[in-house]
């Protein structure tokens, strides 16, 4: 999926498809900067790494995230959204992403291929230059506090998605249940998605919330090395 590595990285966590089919487009039709809000997608890295191991994936992009220092929640992306649907690939070809900008984000998004892909697919829709887009991504991440119990999770947990939501709401004043959605695969926690206005304030997002995980319980694998 990513242009730098053959192995998909984090894109298999729904690949940024958070608001229905890309064909269900808003009348603005992928015009850069013309969108309603952002979704900050935080991927649970141990789930990604465990799923990759089960599939036998061990490409360079996988190793960058899964064989290095332990990660808990990592940034999958900051996605411009319409109230119904979402823009993507708003400039073709996309402006080339400077390598220095890419490396500056590796602490939050521990995979070069992911960063390049997020710029091409989502960053080009923000109406911002690459440096400003990733600075905005960093600010959005800084605005969200990860609940303490998930920072160094040492043992596998079976948790209710609603309990994960509640933990984030408790840790982040102003965040409501209508502004957050937990997603999952067939058994594991995948992501926590938080809706934010263009000025990075929490805001409701009915369509994102509707597409949350419906399982009673999901597995949270432990942080590597935890």
């Amino acid at each position: 999926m990513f242009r730098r590595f053959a192995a998909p990285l984090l894109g298999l966590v729904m690949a940024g498809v958070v608001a229905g089919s890309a064909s269900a487009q808003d009348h603005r039709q992928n015009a850069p900067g013309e969108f309603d809000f952002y979704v900050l997608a935080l991927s649970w890295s141990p789930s990604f790494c465990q799923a990759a191991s089960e599939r036998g994936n061990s490409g360079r992009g996988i190793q960058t995230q899964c064989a290095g220092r332990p990660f808990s929640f990592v940034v999958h992306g900051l996605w411009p959204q319409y109230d119904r649907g979402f823009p993507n690939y708003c400039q073709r070809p996309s402006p080339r992403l400077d390598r220095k900008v890419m490396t500056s984000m590796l602490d939050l998004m521990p995979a070069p291929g992911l960063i390049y892909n997020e710029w091409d697919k989502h960053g080009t829709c923000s109406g911002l230059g690459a440096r400003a887009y990733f600075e905005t991504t960093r600010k959005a991440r800084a605005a969200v506090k990860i609940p303490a119990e998930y920072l160094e999770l040492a043992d596998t947990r079976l948790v209710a998605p609603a309990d994960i939501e509640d933990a984030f709401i408790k840790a982040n004043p102003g965040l409501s249940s209508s502004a957050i959605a937990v997603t999952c695969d067939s058994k594991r926690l995948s992501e926590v998605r938080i809706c934010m206005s263009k000025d990075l304030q929490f805001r409701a997002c009915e369509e994102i919330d509707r597409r949350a995980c419906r399982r009673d319980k999901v597995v949270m694998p432990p942080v590597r090395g935890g």
Side-chain angles (χ1 to χ4, degrees):
M1 176 177 178
F2 301 129
R3 68 187 189 192
R4 293 303 193 272
F5 303 112
L9 185 59
L10 288 179
L12 46 89
V13 197
M14 296 299 290
V17 180
V18 299
S21 168
S23 62
Q25 284 294 355
D26 182 277
H27 70 276
R28 287 163 283 190
Q29 293 293 319
N30 295 334
E34 297 295 325
F35 62 96
D36 298 312
F37 64 98
Y38 288 114
V39 167
L40 176 67
L42 301 173
S43 173
W44 183 244
S45 183
S47 290
F48 170 77
C49 293
Q50 192 173 94
S53 177
E54 290 172 359
R55 293 191 308 273
N57 288 359
S58 58
R60 181 179 173 188
I62 302 291
Q63 291 300 314
T64 301
Q65 180 177 347
C66 299
R69 69 180 179 86
F71 293 100
S72 54
F73 281 103
V74 298
V75 174
H76 181 176
L78 184 68
W79 303 332
Q81 300 284 301
Y82 303 133
D83 285 325
R84 294 192 62 187
F86 59 94
N88 58 40
Y89 298 107
C90 293
Q91 296 184 61
R92 293 180 181 269
S94 62
R96 183 174 178 81
L97 179 61
D98 187 283
R99 182 175 177 81
K100 291 180 180 179
V101 175
M102 182 277 289
T103 57
S104 74
M105 294 301 295
L106 287 172
D107 60 322
L108 298 184
M109 306 171 73
L114 169 66
I115 298 168
Y116 284 114
N117 183 76
E118 290 300 298
W119 167 243
D120 290 349
K121 185 171 184 179
H122 301 290
T124 57
C125 298
S126 68
L128 302 172
R131 188 174 299 277
Y133 169 69
F134 285 108
E135 286 176 352
T136 301
T137 301
R138 185 171 292 279
K139 289 176 182 177
R141 171 61 186 84
V144 175
K145 183 177 181 180
I146 304 299
E149 59 264 41
Y150 303 143
L151 291 175
E152 297 183 7
L153 188 66
D155 301 301
T156 298
R157 289 189 187 178
L158 189 64
V159 296
D163 290 342
I164 298 172
E165 280 197 13
D166 288 345
F168 271 83
I169 291 168
K170 183 177 179 180
N172 292 275
L175 180 64
S176 69
S177 60
S178 62
I180 182 172
V182 172
T183 70
C184 59
D185 62 15
S186 60
K187 57 184 177 181
R188 284 179 287 252
L189 168 68
S190 294
E191 294 187 346
V192 171
R193 294 172 176 168
I194 296 174
C195 300
M196 310 177 90
S197 63
K198 289 185 177 182
D199 61 356
L200 305 183
Q201 302 299 306
F202 301 133
R203 59 151 280 176
C205 48
E206 180 181 350
E207 191 167 42
I208 305 304
D209 191 50
R210 245 191 343 257
R211 298 178 188 281
C213 179
R214 301 304 177 193
R215 296 187 177 278
D216 292 332
K217 299 280 187 178
V218 293
V219 174
M220 286 187 74
V223 173
R224 292 176 61 85

